[in-house]
């Protein structure tokens, strides 16, 4: 004879197809797997333990915008890292020239003041070059973290990128005005080439476009253009007979 299968609390038994209550219709007897036993003669049974209900975890599902946005942000900061690495090579000479022109203007304004010694000029030039390289290394590290975070779809990276792109977008109109109206003044004041101002404008245009795209995506969907979903509940299979 097969061993009867009762639930842990003794309230149900398995008949081979489904769980059936062990309590008789009149409530006076209970099936123990072999015979009907009066309820009063049975040992008191513990109250059934019901599983604690937990709210299903909410996950974010990608949309058709998600993957292109991740690649776009990663590519943008990859290019930004390359740009940061190139700065010490071409910007060092520009800054040195601007510094020398500043010294020449001071000598013209104050001809009685002796010019600074050559050692001071060389030390200042070396310090500016070192600052450029240190800034480039820090910028490359930040760009690498943001690019990896974009590919990994980290939420905090999305908000950091959105803020950085927003600041760059705010600076675009000022850079454009400086390039159009104040180009000659800036060149004479700092000794910078004219194309550096237009370069900031050229960088600001795709920066603003990416910012607008991410802003629309977070309003329409959420971070990284993902939507909230709840995993569908599945029915547990019946035990084998």
């Amino acid at each position: 004879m097969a061993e009867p299968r009762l639930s842990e609390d003794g309230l149900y038994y398995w008949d081979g197809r489904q769980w059936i209550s062990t309590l008789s219709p009149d409530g006076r007897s209970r099936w123990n797997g072999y015979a009907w036993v009066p309820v009063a003669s049975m040992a008191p049974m513990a109250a059934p333990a019901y599983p604690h209900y937990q709210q299903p975890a909410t996950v974010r599902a990608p949309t058709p915008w998600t993957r292109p946005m991740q690649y776009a942000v990663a590519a943008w900061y990859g290019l930004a890292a390359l740009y940061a690495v190139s700065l010490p090579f071409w910007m060092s000479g520009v800054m040195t020239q601007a510094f020398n022109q500043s010294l020449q203007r001071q000598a013209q304004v104050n001809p009685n003041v002796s010019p600074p010694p050559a050692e001071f000029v060389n030390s200042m030039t070396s310090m500016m070059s070192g600052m450029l390289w240190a800034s480039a290394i820090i910028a490359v590290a930040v760009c690498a973290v943001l690019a990896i975070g974009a590919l990994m779809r980290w939420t905090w990276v999305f908000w950091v990128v959105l803020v950085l792109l927003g600041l760059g977008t705010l600076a675009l109109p000022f850079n454009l005005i400086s390039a159009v109206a104040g180009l000659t003044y800036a060149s004479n004041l700092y000794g910078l080439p004219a194309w550096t101002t237009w370069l900031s404008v050229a960088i600001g245009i795709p920066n603003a476009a990416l910012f607008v795209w991410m802003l629309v995506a977070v309003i329409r969907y959420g971070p990284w253009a993902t939507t909230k979903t709840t995993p569908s509940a599945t029915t547990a299979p019946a035990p084998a007979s």
Side-chain angles (χ1 to χ4, degrees), residues 227-240:
T227 57
K228 288 185 178 181
T229 58
T230 303
S232 57
T234 56
T235 306

Side-chain angles (χ1 to χ4, degrees), residues 164-190:
L164 294 177
L165 294 178
L167 295 176
T169 303
L170 292 176
L172 178 60
F174 299 98
N175 293 334
L176 184 59
I177 293 174
S178 176
V180 174
L183 185 60
T184 304
Y185 173 76
S187 299
N188 294 334
L189 182 61
Y190 302 106

Side-chain angles (χ1 to χ4, degrees), residues 17-43:
R17 293 179 303 173
Q18 60 182 346
W19 290 100
I20 301 177
S21 175
T22 57
L23 191 65
S24 62
D26 57 9
R28 297 182 179 180
S29 302
R30 188 178 299 278
W31 180 256
N32 64 1
Y34 301 98
W36 290 101
V37 180
V39 174
S41 64
M42 296 185 66

Side-chain angles (χ1 to χ4, degrees), residues 84-173:
V85 171
S86 70
L87 278 178
F89 293 100
W90 60 268
M91 197 63 181
S92 179
V94 172
M95 293 182 65
T96 301
Q97 181 181 0
F99 179 70
N100 292 331
Q101 289 180 357
S102 176
L103 294 179
Q104 293 174 4
R105 284 194 298 270
Q106 290 181 5
Q108 292 174 0
V109 174
N110 302 308
N112 297 327
V113 178
S114 60
E119 292 80 6
F120 173 77
V121 176
N122 293 335
S123 62
M124 290 297 296
T125 302
S126 301
M127 184 181 68
M128 288 187 295
S129 179
M131 291 176 60
L132 282 175
W133 277 109
S135 301
I137 293 174
I138 295 174
V140 169
V142 172
C143 290
V145 171
L146 296 180
I148 295 173
L151 296 177
M152 298 297 294
R153 216 163 67 201
W154 295 340
T155 302
W156 70 268
V157 168
F158 176 88
W159 296 113
V160 171
V161 171
L162 189 65
V163 171
L164 294 177
L165 294 178
L167 295 176
T169 303
L170 292 176
L172 178 60

Side-chain angles (χ1 to χ4, degrees), residues 158 213-223:
F158 176 88
W213 185 22
M214 295 181 68
L215 185 62
V216 173
V218 74
I219 294 175
R220 182 176 179 180
Y221 299 109

